[in-house]
Amino acid sequence: MGNYRTKLRGLGCPELDVNLTANKRPNERAPAKNIKKPRRAEINYLPPLPKGETKGSLESERVELLTEIQKRNNNVIIAEKMAKTFSIQRDEIVNQTPQISEVKDRWPALFEATQINEEFQRLTMVTLEPTFMAKLDQHTPKILSLMASRGGAAKPKIHLIQNMLLQEEASSIEKKREAAIRGLILYLGEKDDDLIKDELDVDDDSAEVIKIITTRSDPPRARVVIEGTSVLEDIDVPRACALLMGLIYALNLSYPKNLRNTFEVFQKIFLELDSLKASHKVMSLKSKLLI
């Protein structure tokens, strides 16, 4: 395998070149420091340049993309250019680790729902929203049942979720999905307001790392905030969770430590990515969901 990897490196495979000591920053030139590799079942973590293209030609495509995104009903051209520039976009995000605001300025199309789905499929070969929602719907009844069995400090929050389901028009699919997600977080021993927060409880001066902020409109809407930058707006909470997973993959972000079990469930149960290597807590939940 070592010889095989050497041959691939000689052919210019980006996933191997990126960890060469000579290609690291001066303060990171140690063999085991800052290793960049797929962590969550990404198939195209660092793809090579398309045949016949250079970084210069693809940069010209990126600049043209900034103009195309301003035009109406231009989804086909945007999708083509995003697919074409996928390699330099990944190189920039993985190697340079820019701030979210910088990525949004350079790659605004990456923050549109359609392109988040496309990007996720390029990275994992799995459809994002259809897979996430299908598995969420499949497991919702069991999640709500498990949630109801939870006691202790989570009990008051569970009562609030149960009351939400009893309210007028609460039987909508979006409400049931949101209740299942909130119940899942509580069942895993984490706090639902660490992920989903009411806009009235948000400090204007805070720079939320990863947060879904809900409004009290009718129907309630949500926006996704990463590093203090609003990246998605006017969507429901379940869809915000699915698209947030897509953005975490697209932006090569780590899961929040205080929600690592929740995001592991999103990845390994709802999206079925690397599902055989789950933690004990997630494997236990998976077993209970299948009973």
Side-chain angles (χ1 to χ4, degrees):
M1 284 301 297
N3 187 45
Y4 176 66
R5 289 170 66 85
T6 300
K7 289 181 178 179
L8 286 179
R9 189 181 296 115
L11 293 172
C13 179
E15 287 192 22
L16 296 176
D17 283 344
V18 70
N19 291 315
L20 285 175
T21 304
N23 292 337
K24 292 185 178 182
R25 298 172 183 174
N27 62 330
E28 296 178 347
R29 287 181 177 172
K33 188 170 183 179
N34 195 24
I35 299 296
K36 300 180 187 296
K37 61 180 181 180
R39 294 173 295 169
R40 294 183 288 253
E42 296 99 327
I43 294 174
N44 292 314
Y45 180 69
L46 266 177
L49 299 177
K51 188 175 181 179
E53 299 288 348
T54 65
K55 286 188 176 181
S57 65
L58 294 177
E59 176 64 17
S60 298
E61 292 283 345
R62 185 196 69 80
V63 173
E64 290 178 15
L65 185 56
L66 296 177
T67 302
E68 297 295 340
I69 199 173
Q70 297 176 17
K71 300 176 183 179
R72 293 183 180 180
N73 303 319
N74 203 25
N75 292 334
V76 174
I77 294 177
I78 291 172
E80 289 175 354
K81 290 188 177 295
M82 283 294 289
K84 191 173 183 178
T85 56
F86 176 54
S87 57
I88 64 164
Q89 176 236 108
R90 285 300 294 175
D91 178 74
E92 183 177 313
I93 288 172
V94 172
N95 290 320
Q96 299 179 26
T97 58
Q99 293 184 343
I100 302 303
S101 56
E102 295 175 9
V103 179
K104 194 174 181 181
D105 287 340
R106 287 179 57 80
W107 302 94
L110 187 59
F111 297 88
E112 293 186 349
T114 302
Q115 288 308 312
I116 293 172
N117 279 275
E118 293 286 344
E119 185 80 1
F120 188 81
Q121 190 159 8
R122 280 191 285 268
L123 285 166
T124 65
M125 305 303 292
V126 172
T127 56
L128 176 58
E129 288 190 75
T131 304
F132 187 97
M133 296 305 176
K135 287 296 179 180
L136 174 58
D137 291 342
Q138 176 186 336
H139 297 307
T140 287
K142 192 66 176 181
I143 290 172
L144 294 177
S145 175
L146 291 171
M147 173 194 74
S149 67
R150 185 83 179 182
K155 203 66 177 177
K157 281 286 187 76
I158 290 170
H159 285 317
L160 289 175
I161 295 171
Q162 291 171 330
N163 290 337
M164 181 177 74
L165 287 172
L166 296 174
Q167 292 172 3
E168 185 180 358
E169 298 182 358
S171 59
S172 69
I173 187 65
E174 289 80 11
K175 282 286 187 181
K176 287 181 179 178
R177 287 170 172 172
E178 181 179 346
I181 289 170
R182 288 180 180 272
L184 171 68
I185 298 171
L186 294 173
Y187 179 78
L188 291 169
E190 298 170 342
K191 297 179 180 179
D192 63 328
D193 54 8
D194 280 345
L195 177 62
I196 307 165
K197 204 167 189 176
D198 189 281
E199 62 179 346
L200 299 180
D201 298 328
V202 176
D203 185 354
D204 291 337
D205 296 328
S206 67
E208 302 288 359
V209 178
I210 292 179
K211 195 73 69 176
I212 296 171
I213 299 175
T214 59
T215 67
R216 295 190 177 182
S217 58
D218 188 21
R221 309 303 288 168
R223 59 190 174 95
V224 177
V225 174
I226 302 177
E227 293 181 4
T229 299
S230 182
V231 294
L232 282 169
E233 296 183 353
D234 196 28
I235 51 179
D236 58 60
V237 170
R239 194 174 184 218
C241 291
L243 292 173
L244 176 56
M245 279 298 294
L247 284 169
I248 286 174
Y249 271 77
L251 300 170
N252 200 37
L253 301 175
S254 300
Y255 296 149
K257 291 182 179 179
N258 55 347
L259 290 165
R260 63 182 182 275
N261 292 320
T262 298
F263 280 95
E264 188 180 352
V265 170
F266 288 172
Q267 175 195 328
K268 299 187 177 184
I269 296 181
F270 292 174
L271 293 169
E272 297 184 321
L273 289 168
D274 207 18
S275 58
L276 298 178
K277 296 181 180 179
S279 65
H280 175 74
K281 180 173 283 191
V282 172
M283 288 300 290
S284 175
L285 172 63
K286 185 177 181 180
S287 299
K288 292 175 181 177
L289 291 177
L290 297 176
I291 294 176

